[in-house]
Amino acid sequence: MALIVAASGCSKDILDENPRSVLVPSFLGTPDGVQSGLTGVYSGLRNVHTDQGGSNFTSQGTDEFMRGASGSDGLEDYNRGQLNNSNSTSTGMWTQCYRFINGANGVIQYAGSVQGLTPSAVTQITAEAKVLRAFYYFMLVRAFGDVPLTLKFVDAPTKDIARAPLADVYNAIIADLNDALGTATTPGIANVAAQPGRVTRATALHLLAKVYLTRATSSARQTDDYAKAAQFSEELIADSNPSPATNSGTTPGGKYGRALEADPADIFKEGKENDKEVLMNIQFNGDPTFTGLSDNGAGLAGQNQVSFLYRNRYDLLPNVERTVALGRPFGRLTSTPYLLTSYILPSETTPRQWRTTDTRYNKWFTTLWLVNKIGQNSGTTFNPRAVVGDTAAWYAGREITPAEQTRINARPGGRFVVGTPSTYTTQFSPYINKYDDATRSSLNVSSDRPVILFRLAETYLIAAEAEMYLGNLPKARDFINVVRRRAAASGRAAQMEITTAQVSIDFILEERTRELCGEFTRWYDLVRTNTLVDRVRRFSPPLVSSKPSPIPNTTDSYGSAAAANVQPYHMLRPIPQQEIDRTSGKITQNPGY
C-alpha cells in the first residue's frame, strides 16, 4: 500500500479482488488484524535498511565509505546521470517508508475501537506503532526535507497530496514519541520488550534525543532542542550509568536493563544482537517467507545483506576460496583512508604503535586471511610452500620496509600477500566485520542475524554533542570518555581519555566514525552538521583507474568521483519523479535535481 497510488489504469476486476496481503479496514477492525498490522510495520525495517539500498543510502558518498568493486546507484559518487529524479534507491526508500507509515496509521487508527483487546494491549500496540511511525518519518524528513505528512490511514487512491513544512513533520515525530513515552498519569510504552526486536521506552528516549539533536541544526530549529536532546539521552544514560565521569556503565540496571558491553568485540558477536547495549534492532530468522532469504537481488526486498556489502574480493587472493564463514563479497562499499586512519592516536608516533591503544579497529575490521585452498587463484605459483591454516594475506595498515618484506618472503611457509595503504584498492583493503554471519546455510544465502539499529554508545555521543552546544564542556567530555575508555587496550584507558579543550563538533564527528561506522548514520550525521560537502571533498580520494594492488604485478581501481561531484544540493535526496507526476506537480522537486 503506497501512500500515493496511480488512480488510472486499474480494471474493476482488479479493484474488486479480495486483498490477501494488504491492510484494509475490515481486517484492521479485528484483534488479529491490528496485531498483524503492527508486525507488518516492524517488517518494514528490513526493507529500508538491510539490503544494499539501505546501506548505500546512509553510508555511501561520505567520508567513511566510497564506491565499491561492483554495484552502483549514483549515491557513491554523486553521479548526476544516476542520482536524479528516477534514482531507484531514493524512490524505493520514499515508497517503502510511506508504505509502512500507512500501516502504522491503520494500526493507530483502529486499535482503540477493536473489540477483544485489553486496554493495556491497546496502549502498548499504539505506542509501538507511534515509535515506528516516528522513525519512518524521521528517515524521510532527514533525506528529503519537506515531505507529505499523513497521519490518517489511506485506503483509497488519491492525488491530493503535497509536501508539508519541515516544522510540521518534526512536530508530528516529536508528538508521536512523547505520546509513546506517556506521562505520570497516562501509561506509555513498555520499559522492557516482551519479545526481541520490539521497541521500548529506551528506544523512544534514544530516538527522541536524536530527533531533537537533528532538528537543532535544521530550518525548523527551536531554542530548546539541545536541552531536550540532553534531557532525553541523559534519562536513558542515568538509568544505566548514574555517574559517567567515573563508571563504565557496563552493568545492567534501572528500569530498562540497558548497559554498555564491557568489550567492543562483544557488541557484534553472533548471538548477542539482543543484548544489553542494544536499543533497537531488526529481526530476522531462517524462514524465507519471513525474511526473503531466497531472494538475493537488490531493490529494498528486505533480506539481510549488510555483511556482504562491505566485504571486498578476498576470494581473489592466492590460496583463498570463498566460504560461508568468510562471506559473500558483494563489494558495494570500500573504506576510505580517513576511516582506516581514524583509530590512530596522536600519541602513537610510530607506525608500529598505530591502532594499539584504541582496540576498535582490530576488533571491527578484517585484515587477515588464512590459506584455505592450496593453489586457488594461482596460489601454487605465488607460494608453492603454502599450507592450509597459514597466513594467506595481511593488510598491515602501514607501509612495511624492504627488510620486512624480505623476511616475509623467506618464511618457512612461504610468502603471503601484504597490503599497505599505498596498495589498498577498491577490491583489496580492510573492511568492517560488524555484521559477519558464519552460520549461513550456503555460500550466497543472506544472513538471518538481527541487525542493530540503535545502541547505547550512540546515546552517550548524542548527550555529549548536546551538552557541548549548551556550553557544558566537562559533561560532554565525560560522556565521550565513557565510550573511549571502553575501547581502550588493557591498561591504556588513561591514554584514551580526552580533555575539555578537545571537545568540538569535529572531534565528536570523528568519534562517531570510530564507534558507529557502517551503522546507518554517517550521511545523516554529515548533513545535520552541514559538513557533508567539506568532508567528502577533503576525505574521499579521487578516482584512480589503475593502482598497484596488494597482489604483486596486478592493478585495480581506487577512490571515486565523489569529491569532484558533490554539491550543496546533495544534502537532500531527489524526490521521486513518479510522486511528482502522480500528484500533478503538487509534490515538488528538491533544488538541483
Side-chain angles (χ1 to χ4, degrees):
M1 289 176 304
L3 172 64
I4 299 166
V5 182
S8 60
C10 296
S11 72
K12 187 175 186 302
D13 290 340
I14 293 175
L15 293 174
D16 287 344
E17 184 175 296
N18 182 35
R20 300 180 182 275
S21 61
V22 297
L23 299 181
V24 293
S26 60
F27 184 54
L28 284 169
T30 67
D32 285 347
V34 169
Q35 295 279 12
S36 297
L38 180 61
T39 300
V41 179
Y42 272 106
S43 75
L45 299 175
R46 297 194 292 269
N47 295 75
V48 299
H49 270 107
T50 57
D51 62 10
Q52 67 177 349
S55 288
N56 283 0
F57 202 77
T58 55
S59 297
Q60 271 289 24
T62 66
D63 51 359
E64 291 181 354
F65 296 101
M66 54 190 175
R67 66 186 293 273
S70 61
S72 172
D73 55 11
L75 298 172
E76 72 285 351
D77 58 4
Y78 302 97
N79 179 338
R80 195 176 184 91
Q82 291 179 288
L83 186 54
N84 53 35
N85 58 7
S86 60
N87 180 267
S88 60
T89 302
S90 190
T91 298
M93 198 64 65
W94 174 288
T95 302
Q96 295 288 7
C97 282
Y98 276 116
R99 171 187 175 191
F100 296 106
I101 284 170
N102 199 44
N105 288 344
V107 171
I108 294 164
Q109 186 169 319
Y110 285 91
S113 60
V114 169
Q115 300 298 311
L117 289 176
T118 65
S120 61
V122 171
T123 295
Q124 186 63 26
I125 289 168
T126 303
E128 290 183 35
K130 285 189 174 183
V131 172
L132 293 170
R133 181 169 71 179
F135 177 75
Y136 289 122
Y137 265 123
F138 189 42
M139 289 189 65
L140 288 168
V141 78
R142 288 180 293 169
F144 299 102
D146 297 349
V147 293
L149 178 62
T150 303
L151 304 178
K152 297 291 186 181
F153 184 57
V154 178
D155 62 352
T158 178
K159 293 184 175 184
D160 190 21
I161 292 178
R163 300 172 73 174
L166 199 73
D168 292 352
V169 183
Y170 270 112
N171 288 339
I173 293 168
I174 290 168
D176 269 352
L177 293 172
N178 279 320
D179 286 350
L181 288 172
T183 66
T185 57
T186 304
I189 198 166
N191 290 339
V192 179
Q195 295 169 292
R198 298 184 78 153
V199 296
T200 64
R201 183 177 177 87
T203 312
L205 288 170
H206 176 92
L207 180 54
L208 189 52
K210 194 167 183 172
V211 168
Y212 277 117
L213 187 72
T214 304
R215 189 175 73 168
T217 52
S218 76
S219 61
R221 68 181 67 88
Q222 299 293 310
T223 56
D224 63 348
D225 282 341
Y226 287 125
K228 292 289 189 182
Q231 173 191 333
F232 291 108
S233 58
E234 289 172 38
E235 178 183 333
L236 179 52
I237 290 169
D239 186 76
S240 64
N241 182 14
S243 180
T246 57
N247 293 351
S248 64
T250 58
T251 302
K255 302 185 293 292
Y256 314 130
R258 301 297 91 189
L260 296 176
E261 294 286 353
D263 185 344
D266 287 340
I267 300 168
F268 298 98
K269 188 175 292 183
E270 289 190 58
K272 293 183 70 68
E273 300 90 351
N274 299 308
D275 273 19
K276 59 186 180 181
E277 185 162 332
V278 178
L279 305 175
M280 183 177 181
N281 65 17
I282 306 170
Q283 291 292 303
F284 290 86
N285 65 34
D287 180 357
T289 63
F290 180 79
T291 58
L293 295 183
S294 61
D295 175 7
N296 284 283
L300 300 167
Q303 62 271 39
N304 181 2
Q305 299 176 334
V306 185
S307 67
F308 303 166
L309 303 175
Y310 300 92
R311 191 164 305 274
N312 60 34
R313 297 305 302 273
Y314 74 87
D315 59 335
L316 299 180
L317 295 168
N319 297 311
V320 179
E321 71 170 347
R322 184 188 303 189
T323 67
V324 168
L326 292 178
R328 187 177 179 182
F330 263 24
R332 300 297 194 257
L333 299 99
T334 302
S335 303
T336 63
Y338 162 77
L339 173 58
L340 300 179
T341 58
S342 66
Y343 298 91
I344 301 172
L345 271 65
S347 60
E348 295 174 335
T349 55
T350 65
R352 284 186 174 274
Q353 294 176 323
W354 290 355
R355 308 179 186 89
T356 59
T357 306
D358 188 332
T359 66
R360 289 173 289 192
Y361 176 81
N362 289 310
K363 291 173 178 176
W364 292 346
F365 284 78
T366 296
T367 59
L368 179 70
W369 289 263
L370 304 181
V371 173
N372 63 15
K373 186 176 182 181
I374 305 298
Q376 182 79 1
N377 302 320
S378 302
T380 304
T381 302
F382 174 77
N383 177 15
R385 291 176 285 170
V387 295
V388 171
D390 196 2
T391 301
W394 171 52
Y395 294 164
R398 60 178 175 83
E399 301 303 318
I400 65 170
T401 66
E404 287 179 288
Q405 185 66 64
T406 298
R407 287 196 298 271
I408 290 170
N409 292 345
R411 293 169 67 249
R415 66 175 178 165
F416 52 81
V417 171
V418 179
T420 65
S422 64
T423 61
Y424 289 164
T425 67
T426 303
Q427 296 189 101
F428 304 104
S429 60
Y431 54 77
I432 62 170
N433 55 34
K434 291 178 175 181
Y435 306 102
D436 283 9
D437 186 350
T439 62
R440 293 175 299 113
S441 59
S442 63
L443 282 177
N444 293 332
V445 72
S446 298
S447 173
D448 63 358
R449 288 186 63 187
V451 173
I452 299 170
L453 278 184
F454 297 156
R455 54 188 180 90
L456 189 60
E458 187 189 15
T459 315
Y460 279 87
L461 297 178
I462 290 171
E465 189 172 338
E467 293 290 4
M468 180 201 70
Y469 282 118
L470 292 169
N472 301 323
L473 298 185
K475 288 188 73 173
R477 173 204 63 204
D478 290 344
F479 287 127
I480 294 169
N481 280 339
V482 171
V483 176
R484 288 180 62 80
R485 282 195 298 268
R486 191 264 296 270
S490 179
R492 299 189 188 180
Q495 289 96 308
M496 285 290 286
E497 292 186 358
I498 66 166
T499 66
T500 302
Q502 291 174 272
V503 176
S504 68
I505 189 57
D506 282 338
F507 188 92
I508 289 172
L509 281 172
E510 290 163 7
E511 194 61 30
R512 288 183 68 88
T513 280
R514 288 183 282 265
E515 184 67 26
L516 302 170
C517 61
E519 296 183 48
F520 315 105
T521 66
R522 194 59 176 181
W523 185 79
Y524 295 132
D525 285 343
L526 299 186
V527 167
R528 71 175 175 79
T529 56
N530 197 28
T531 58
L532 176 71
V533 175
D534 172 63
R535 293 184 75 89
V536 169
R537 287 176 177 172
R538 280 197 287 150
F539 297 124
S540 185
L543 179 62
V544 177
S545 60
S546 181
K547 178 186 177 185
S549 86
I551 301 176
N553 303 315
T554 66
T555 61
D556 187 23
S557 65
Y558 189 65
S560 79
N565 291 341
V566 68
Q567 299 294 329
Y569 74 82
H570 288 128
M571 289 173 59
L572 290 175
R573 301 301 197 194
I575 302 294
Q577 186 63 38
Q578 66 183 33
E579 305 303 309
I580 297 171
D581 294 342
R582 288 171 175 175
T583 60
S584 302
K586 289 181 180 177
I587 292 178
T588 56
Q589 184 56 267
N590 281 326
Y593 294 104

